[in-house]
């Protein structure tokens, strides 16, 4: 198997913002639930504690890196995997050679010798590559697969380290990973809603906290889209109008600008929409208010169809 690595923006290079990879991120969350099951995902309901990734300047470089790597291995439930961490000059922030194991060699960029606070972030991404490799879960293409890795890292409780490595000021910029800071915030918020866990107190970077709040707002939007009863007045009104049109014009192609779609079958009109937790599509008969449960992640949904 080849190398898989985490990228980093060069100091001074502009950092991309916004949500350009959102559809791939959502597909990654769905894929994670399908591969692990709802119960499997819930075994990661508690994030890696900050103390387990802490790395002081006076710590021995190699012993400290091995300690953090062991903490990540334990958190990701890879007890029979051993991470051997080294440092060298390289283009990317880090890389790992994906082999049959049980030993995996992770190489970190030499700059982490003096930027030790971010070693945990780089190791989190590489250790997640090992987890996905063992699960046999991958997306086609390097970029999509790296987005899957970043999303998994964040959703399973170690990716807050990657967002906290984002720093931006008048003289320098740094970002680890392929997701934008706001996309990391989005995934962390999705996780927070699913497991009732707030990661914001762990951020040491003010820019990371800002990105988290923006991502959280986008994640909240997922919980407020029709036919969910939490949808706002404007969304409910648009939904009612689209529902009437679908009833009067069966077979009309769905509007791609809205997350729901109507379809007519032998049992009448049905609506399909993405689960706000795992983004698996759910189909319900159009019958007014109804409680439903997502078959994939088991989230209870209150809907007004």
């Amino acid at each position: 198997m080849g190398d898989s690595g985490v990228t980093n923006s060069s100091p001074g290079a502009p950092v991309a913002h916004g949500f350009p990879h959102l559809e791939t991120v959502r597909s990654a969350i769905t894929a994670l639930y399908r591969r692990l099951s709802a119960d499997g995902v819930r075994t990661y309901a508690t994030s890696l504690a900050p103390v387990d990734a802490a790395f002081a300047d006076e710590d021995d470089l190699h012993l400290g890196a091995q300690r953090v790597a062991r903490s990540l291995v334990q958190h990701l439930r890879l007890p029979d995997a051993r991470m051997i961490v080294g440092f060298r000059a390289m283009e990317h922030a880090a890389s790992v050679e994906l082999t049959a194991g049980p030993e995996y060699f992770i190489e970190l960029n030499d700059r982490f010798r003096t930027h030790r606070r971010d070693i945990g972030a780089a190791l989190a991404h590489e250790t997640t590559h090992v987890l996905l490799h063992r699960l046999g879960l991958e997306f086609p293409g390097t970029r999509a697969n790296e987005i899957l890795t970043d999303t998994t890292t964040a959703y399973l409780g170690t990716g807050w380290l990657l967002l906290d490595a984002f720093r931006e000021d008048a003289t320098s910029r740094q970002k680890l990973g392929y997701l934008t800071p706001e996309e990391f915030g989005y995934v962390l918020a999705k996780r927070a809603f699913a497991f009732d866990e707030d990661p914001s107190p762990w951020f040491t970077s003010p820019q990371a906290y800002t990105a988290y709040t923006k991502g959280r707002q986008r994640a909240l939007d997922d919980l407020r889209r029709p036919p969910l009863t939490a949808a706002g007045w404007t969304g409910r009104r648009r939904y009612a109008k689209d529902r009437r049109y679908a009833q009067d014009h069966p077979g009309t192609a769905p509007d791609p600008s809205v997350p729901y779609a109507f379809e007519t079958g032998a049992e009448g009109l049905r609506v399909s929409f993405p689960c706000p937790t795992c983004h698996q599509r759910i189909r319900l008969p159009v019958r007014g208010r109804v409680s439903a449960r997502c078959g994939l992640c088991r989230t209870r949904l209150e809907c007004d169809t």
Side-chain angles (χ1 to χ4, degrees):
M1 299 292 293
D3 283 320
S4 290
V6 59
T7 189
N8 60 284
S9 62
S10 301
V15 173
H17 287 280
F19 301 91
H21 312 111
L22 204 54
E23 289 310 308
T24 307
V25 167
R26 288 168 172 165
S27 296
I29 294 173
T30 307
L32 193 59
Y33 272 97
R34 286 177 179 163
R35 182 62 185 84
L36 291 180
S37 79
D39 288 339
V41 172
R42 287 193 185 97
T43 63
Y44 297 92
T46 301
S47 286
L48 183 79
V51 66
D52 291 329
F55 206 125
D57 287 343
E58 60 269 19
D59 289 348
D60 179 272
L61 178 66
H62 291 88
L63 290 178
Q66 292 296 150
R67 172 182 55 79
V68 175
R70 282 195 300 272
S71 295
L72 290 160
V73 164
Q74 291 169 1
H75 177 84
L76 291 176
R77 289 165 173 73
L78 292 166
D80 58 340
R82 295 189 296 275
M83 306 297 159
I84 312 300
V85 184
F87 297 81
R88 70 174 177 87
M90 57 196 299
E91 178 184 358
H92 295 300
S95 68
V96 61
E97 182 75 16
L98 296 175
T99 64
E103 290 187 342
Y104 297 88
F105 294 89
I106 295 177
E107 293 183 311
L108 300 183
N109 191 299
D110 265 339
R111 70 184 182 84
F112 287 112
R113 293 177 181 273
T114 54
H115 292 79
R116 299 184 180 186
R117 62 182 286 190
D118 298 324
I119 284 178
L123 289 176
H125 179 97
E126 301 309 324
T127 308
T128 303
H129 266 302
V130 173
L131 173 66
L132 292 173
H133 173 62
R134 289 190 163 198
L135 291 174
L137 180 57
E138 63 178 326
F139 279 0
T142 299
R143 178 165 291 276
N145 205 51
E146 292 293 349
I147 291 170
L148 168 66
T149 304
D150 277 344
T151 302
T152 301
T153 306
Y155 206 84
L156 295 188
T158 61
W160 66 267
L161 291 165
L162 282 160
L163 179 53
D164 197 41
F166 167 53
R167 288 182 287 280
E168 194 170 31
D169 56 38
T171 59
S172 65
R173 301 176 181 88
Q174 173 185 277
K175 183 185 76 69
L176 297 181
Y178 285 69
L179 297 184
T180 68
E182 292 79 14
E183 287 168 340
F184 270 119
Y186 173 83
V187 180
L188 290 171
K190 303 283 280 190
R191 172 188 166 80
F193 298 154
F195 303 123
D196 192 24
E197 179 189 72
D198 179 11
S200 59
W202 306 329
F203 295 131
T204 61
S205 161
Q207 294 81 22
Y209 180 81
T210 299
Y212 174 69
T213 59
K214 291 179 179 178
R216 186 177 185 276
Q217 185 57 52
R218 193 63 173 259
L220 278 172
D221 291 343
D222 291 349
L223 300 172
R224 298 169 178 168
R225 298 191 297 188
L228 300 173
T229 56
W233 180 83
T234 302
R236 292 199 305 271
R237 187 176 182 216
R238 168 70 188 273
Y239 178 85
K241 179 182 177 182
D242 291 341
R243 180 178 58 200
R244 284 194 303 270
Y245 188 87
Q247 289 167 334
D248 296 338
H249 303 82
T252 303
D255 184 346
S257 69
V258 295
Y260 50 82
F262 295 99
E263 49 196 55
T264 305
E267 299 179 357
L269 193 66
R270 297 196 305 172
V271 62
S272 67
F273 60 97
C275 169
T277 298
C278 71
H279 296 281
Q280 166 105 315
R281 286 198 79 82
I282 297 170
R283 285 175 173 80
L284 296 176
V286 174
R287 295 177 183 165
R289 293 184 72 95
V290 62
S291 288
R293 185 184 294 275
C294 175
L296 182 58
C297 69
R298 301 182 193 162
T299 299
R300 174 70 67 178
L301 305 170
E302 298 299 325
C303 306
D304 188 351
T305 59

